């Protein structure tokens, strides 16, 4: 359910509407602001009616009837003006609805035509990477206006834009860099507020505006996951204000989102085009969201609970913190086909090994590029013969014993995994297959890596952090959804897929265990080893090498 400030309820005894001021802002944006990227790069920014009516006209048009008078220490009037009614703006819209363009336009207005001299404009970002994204977004937009850009010096290393006359300055603060002592911004723009883990940076920035006579704090964000965090708290306050349950005359609210209650009750179909269109005001707008994009996102959302939760946040603007399965079990099951494993003998491949604690499952995977961006995966798992209750749920012993009997698990003597068996299995595989390298997690790996290296195998250390795991994780999802990753129906790998969720931060991701339940029954070692192997096997820099091998070996291309 979307939420907006009811303009009809504004007290006209206290406030008046300055139509000329509102329309001049709109004229400025549509004549002086330009798209900086995409198909419309270099074209004038054309505002949508919702942006005009729900944001810009009320924000710049409604003013206090009582003039604000600014005097110097001698008591002389320096200036007098009608201050804006709204000192804070909250905009929540799903992704791809013009947030970046709106942020850039607001900064440009304050850098160019906003009358206050000595202006300090601040963008807030949670991390350094986001800070650079926020700065570049504004800087690129300003560069498209040649006349304005000639008056501005860009300091990219410090995320600062400075008017050559020294009167106006834009900078980006992050949690690492913080703010600058003595700054008193008259404009604060909080981009993707949901990324902020606490309210410290926001509080510092907004309190620094206290000495400004006509300040404006703008929050533009999508939905997030932290239902206890600062962004959700501020969202709840904004909604209560629109509903009349709280009084806050200085806050302007524009929140587009689907109605979660109606979806939960089965009254609205979350996958329908109608629901999507209602909360995505730029749907079918030229240069914005296409129907093809919506259809693609629906397919992804239906592939797993994890992707559905992400679709709710990114495209329906519904907050949730669901720790769901990464790849839907049905989708996973369809990414397999009959295959003669013996045909892999001598074939080029890449390995990944995820070593566990002494009494838990260890996984070793080989991923074979088959051509046409298709891959086959072979997997070995290891478990001690005397299984401890800490590592194995006794209720699953029958299943484990069945997997051992069928050869999916290599059982090692004793009550801890005998790493000599892991080493022997890998060495035997290296004699049968053309292993180019084996990725390993450096934690707990020394006793296995050194002997394998001594035998001439190329061992590649692979970090387990989110940045290091991103490429392989994204590639695995892409291949499984396209049915181009043949896991050969390995039952242990399928079980581990059922236990696997995905951790995301900014544009990075990595597999993690689903929350809840018995930790002994949530194993993802085989998923991790395949992700590591794929990070090398699917590395685009190795494509030429793979194509050459396939050509020389007469390798077949396998398609489904």
């Amino acid at each position: 359910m979307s939420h907006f400030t009811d303009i009809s309820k504004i007290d006209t005894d206290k406030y008046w509407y300055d139509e000329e001021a509102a329309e001049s802002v709109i004229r400025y944006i549509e004549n002086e602001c330009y798209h900086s990227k995409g198909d419309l790069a270099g074209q004038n920014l054309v505002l949508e009616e919702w942006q005009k009516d729900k944001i810009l006209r009320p924000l710049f048009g409604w003013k206090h009837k009582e003039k604000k008078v600014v005097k110097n220490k001698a008591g002389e009037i320096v200036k007098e003006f009608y201050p804006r009614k709204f000192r804070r703006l909250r905009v929540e819209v799903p992704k791809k609805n013009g947030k970046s363009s709106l942020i850039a336009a607001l900064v440009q207005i304050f850098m160019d035509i906003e009358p206050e001299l000595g202006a300090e404009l601040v963008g807030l970002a949670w991390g350094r990477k986001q800070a650079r994204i926020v700065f570049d977004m504004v800087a690129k937009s300003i560069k498209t206006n040649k006349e304005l850009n000639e008056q501005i010096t860009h300091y990219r290393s410090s995320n600062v834009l400075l008017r050559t006359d020294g009167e106006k300055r834009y900078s980006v603060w992050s949690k690492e860099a913080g703010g600058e002592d003595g700054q008193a911004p008259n404009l604060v723009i909080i981009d993707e507020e949901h990324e902020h883990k606490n309210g410290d940076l926001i509080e510092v920035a907004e309190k620094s505006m206290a000495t400004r006579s006509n300040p404006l704090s703008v929050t533009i964000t999508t939905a997030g996951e932290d239902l206890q965090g600062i962004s959700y708290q501020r969202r709840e306050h904004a909604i209560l204000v629109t509903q009349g349950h709280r009084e806050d005359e200085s806050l302007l609210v524009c929140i587009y989102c689907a109605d979660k209650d109606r979806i939960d009750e089965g009254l609205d179909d979350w996958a329908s085009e109608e629901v999507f269109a209602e909360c995505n005001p730029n749907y079918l707008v030229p240069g914005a969201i296409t129907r093809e994009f919506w259809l693609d996102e629906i397919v992804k959302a239906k592939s797993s609970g994890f992707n559905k939760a992400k679709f709710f946040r990114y495209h329906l603007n519904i907050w949730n913190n669901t720790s769901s399965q990464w790849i839907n079990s049905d989708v996973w099951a369809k990414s397999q086909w009959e295959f003669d494993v013996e045909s892999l003998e001598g074939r080029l491949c890449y390995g990944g090994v995820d070593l566990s604690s002494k009494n838990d499952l260890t996984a070793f995977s080989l991923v074979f590029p088959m051509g046409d961006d298709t891959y086959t995966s072979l997997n070995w798992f290891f478990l001690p013969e005397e299984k401890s209750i800490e590592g194995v749920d006794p209720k699953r012993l029958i299943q484990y014993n069945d997997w051992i009997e069928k050869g999916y698990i290599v059982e090692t003597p004793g009550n801890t995994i005998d790493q000599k068996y892991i080493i022997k299995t890998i060495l035997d595989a290296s004699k049968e297959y053309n292993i180019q390298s084996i990725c390993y997690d450096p934690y707990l790996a020394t006793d296995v890596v050194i002997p394998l290296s001594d035998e001439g195998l190329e061992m590649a250390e692979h970090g387990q952090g989110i940045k290091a795991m991103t490429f392989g994780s994204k590639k695995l999802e892409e291949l499984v959804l396209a049915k181009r990753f043949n896991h050969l129906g390995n039952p242990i790998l399928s079980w581990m897929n059922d236990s696997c969720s995905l951790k995301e931060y900014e544009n990075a991701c990595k597999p993690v265990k689903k929350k809840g339940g018995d930790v002994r029954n949530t194993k993802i070692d085989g998923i991790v080893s395949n992700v590591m192997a794929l990070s090398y096997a699917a590395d685009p820099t190795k494509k030429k090498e793979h194509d050459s091998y396939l050509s020389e070996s007469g390798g077949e291309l396998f398609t489904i």
Side-chain angles (χ1 to χ4, degrees):
M1 180 179 178
S2 298
H3 307 273
F4 310 105
T5 296
D6 188 347
I7 301 301
S8 69
K9 292 183 178 179
I10 291 178
D11 185 351
T12 53
D13 290 332
K14 294 168 62 178
Y15 307 103
W16 68 287
Y17 184 69
D18 186 344
E19 184 176 359
E20 176 53 33
E23 297 308 314
S24 67
V25 165
I26 291 170
R27 283 197 306 273
Y28 177 87
I29 292 175
E30 296 195 323
N31 285 279
E32 301 296 334
C33 297
Y34 302 86
H35 291 278
S36 61
K37 60 183 179 180
D39 294 339
L40 298 178
Q43 299 293 308
N44 284 89
L45 183 61
V46 178
L47 294 165
E48 299 305 313
E49 289 305 313
W50 70 273
Q51 294 170 316
K52 298 177 187 178
D53 292 340
K54 298 190 182 302
I55 300 172
L56 296 169
R57 286 189 175 114
L59 182 61
F60 290 98
W62 283 100
K63 297 180 178 181
H64 289 262
K65 281 188 172 181
E66 184 178 342
K67 276 189 176 181
K68 176 166 281 192
V69 179
V70 179
K71 298 180 180 180
N72 60 20
K73 286 187 177 180
E76 300 167 333
I77 295 176
V78 176
K79 65 176 180 179
E80 51 185 336
F81 63 97
Y82 297 102
R84 285 183 291 269
K85 174 191 187 303
F86 296 109
R87 298 194 305 274
R88 289 174 294 124
L89 165 67
R90 183 176 191 86
V91 178
E92 271 193 43
V93 286
K95 287 184 178 294
K96 307 296 181 184
N97 281 280
K99 293 193 303 296
S100 299
S101 298
L102 183 58
I103 288 172
L106 288 171
V107 172
Q108 189 169 322
I109 287 168
F110 275 73
M111 288 291 280
D112 197 3
I113 63 172
E114 172 72 11
E116 187 167 357
L117 299 178
E120 294 178 338
L121 325 175
V122 169
L124 298 189
W126 181 247
R128 290 186 187 276
K129 183 177 178 182
Q130 183 65 17
R132 176 50 50 84
I133 292 171
V134 170
F135 175 80
D136 285 347
M137 171 180 66
V138 172
K140 287 177 182 177
S141 177
I142 285 179
K143 283 180 179 179
T144 61
N145 185 313
K146 293 182 180 179
E147 185 177 343
L148 176 61
N149 193 52
E150 287 174 357
Q151 305 173 46
I152 292 176
T153 304
H154 297 244
Y155 298 95
R156 190 169 186 266
S157 61
S158 53
N159 294 333
V160 170
L161 299 175
L162 182 65
R163 274 262 298 258
T164 52
D165 60 9
E167 290 294 347
K168 297 187 178 183
R169 181 179 191 269
Y170 171 73
S171 61
V172 181
W173 298 358
S174 68
K175 73 176 187 296
E176 291 97 341
E180 298 181 25
D181 291 339
Q183 269 197 273
N186 56 313
L187 173 68
V188 170
I189 295 185
I190 307 161
D191 181 43
E192 297 299 7
E193 183 192 55
H194 68 91
E195 295 284 0
H196 288 247
K197 307 305 179 190
N198 58 57
D200 294 349
L201 188 63
I202 296 171
E203 184 178 2
V204 167
E206 292 187 334
K207 282 186 175 179
S208 299
M209 305 174 81
T211 59
R212 291 292 184 173
S213 58
N214 202 19
L216 177 61
S217 175
V218 176
T219 297
I220 301 184
T221 188
T222 52
E225 297 178 84
D226 188 356
L227 303 187
Q228 307 301 321
I230 182 64
S231 185
Y232 192 75
Q233 292 172 26
R234 286 161 65 100
R235 176 186 195 268
E236 290 294 280
H237 169 75
I239 290 173
L240 289 172
V241 170
T242 65
Q243 294 172 339
H245 301 312
R246 276 189 193 167
E247 189 173 332
D248 190 343
E249 292 190 335
S250 66
L251 176 64
L252 177 64
V253 180
C254 175
I255 298 176
Y256 279 92
C257 60
D259 192 326
K260 183 178 182 299
D261 290 338
R262 287 185 60 84
I263 290 173
D264 290 345
E265 293 168 11
L267 300 175
D268 286 346
D269 178 5
W270 66 268
S272 71
E273 189 171 9
E274 180 183 3
V275 166
F276 186 85
E278 284 177 356
C279 57
N280 285 270
N282 275 11
Y283 182 52
L284 301 183
V285 168
I289 306 172
T290 64
R291 192 167 191 274
E292 290 73 23
F293 175 85
W294 166 69
L295 289 170
D296 287 345
E297 292 304 306
I298 287 295
V299 170
K300 292 178 189 176
K302 289 182 176 179
S303 70
S304 71
F306 176 85
N307 282 330
K308 180 181 176 183
K310 190 163 65 171
F311 180 84
F312 272 45
R313 289 195 302 275
Y314 292 169
H315 301 300
L316 300 184
N317 210 34
I318 293 177
W319 287 68
N320 61 59
N321 60 357
T322 307
S323 179
S324 302
Q325 186 172 326
W326 174 20
I327 300 174
N328 183 281
S329 301
D330 292 337
V331 173
W332 179 268
K334 291 175 182 176
S335 189
Q336 60 173 302
W337 54 94
E338 290 187 11
F339 183 79
D340 181 8
V341 175
E342 292 183 1
S343 68
L344 295 174
E345 185 175 348
R347 198 179 186 97
L348 176 146
C349 60
Y350 296 83
V353 60
D354 188 38
L355 294 157
S356 66
S357 59
K358 297 291 185 180
N359 58 7
D360 207 350
L361 274 168
T362 282
F364 169 55
S365 304
L366 288 177
V367 172
F368 298 77
M370 308 303 295
D372 199 25
D373 202 26
T374 300
Y375 300 83
T376 296
S377 172
L378 293 183
N379 297 273
W380 293 260
F381 297 93
F382 305 85
L383 198 64
E385 185 178 38
E386 298 174 20
K387 302 161 192 64
S388 72
I389 194 169
E390 291 83 9
V392 173
D393 181 357
K395 297 175 184 176
R396 299 194 75 95
L397 278 177
I398 294 176
Q399 186 178 55
Y400 275 117
N401 289 331
D402 181 59
W403 287 337
I404 291 167
E405 186 178 326
K406 292 177 178 176
Y408 292 113
I409 293 178
V410 177
E411 195 174 41
T412 71
N415 57 10
T416 61
I417 290 179
D418 188 337
Q419 295 186 334
K420 293 194 296 290
Y421 280 76
I422 299 173
I423 295 168
K424 182 180 184 304
T425 298
I426 294 175
L427 288 175
D428 287 346
S430 71
K431 294 171 185 174
E432 188 170 355
Y433 310 110
N434 184 4
I435 302 177
Q436 299 297 293
S437 61
I438 298 175
C439 296
Y440 67 92
D441 173 3
Y443 181 65
L444 298 174
T446 305
D447 293 342
V448 170
V449 171
I450 292 176
L452 292 174
S453 296
D454 290 344
E455 291 291 334
L457 287 178
E458 181 70 30
M459 303 300 293
E461 184 174 311
H462 194 294
Q464 300 298 291
I466 193 166
K467 184 176 180 180
M469 297 293 283
T470 295
F471 174 75
S473 300
K474 288 186 175 181
K475 192 64 183 178
L476 178 61
E477 178 178 309
E478 172 195 328
L479 294 171
V480 172
L481 290 178
K483 303 176 187 175
R484 297 200 308 270
F485 184 79
N486 189 1
H487 50 71
L488 302 171
N490 186 294
I492 303 179
L493 208 56
S494 297
W495 167 57
M496 289 181 171
N497 174 69
D498 292 346
S499 302
C500 192
S501 186
L502 196 72
K503 178 181 179 180
E504 288 190 301
Y505 180 69
E506 293 182 345
N507 199 35
C509 60
K510 63 175 286 186
V512 293
K513 293 179 180 180
K514 283 167 60 176
K515 294 178 182 178
D518 192 328
V519 295
R520 295 172 300 180
N521 295 328
T522 51
K523 312 289 186 184
I524 64 169
D525 312 76
I527 301 296
V528 171
S529 58
N530 273 278
V531 164
M532 288 194 289
L534 260 178
S535 68
Y536 273 51
D539 184 342
T541 64
K542 295 182 172 62
K543 185 177 186 302
K544 193 172 182 181
E545 175 186 331
H546 297 167
D547 291 347
S548 174
Y549 169 80
L550 289 168
S551 175
E552 292 172 6
S553 65
E556 298 177 62
L557 299 182
F558 294 85
T559 58
I560 53 174

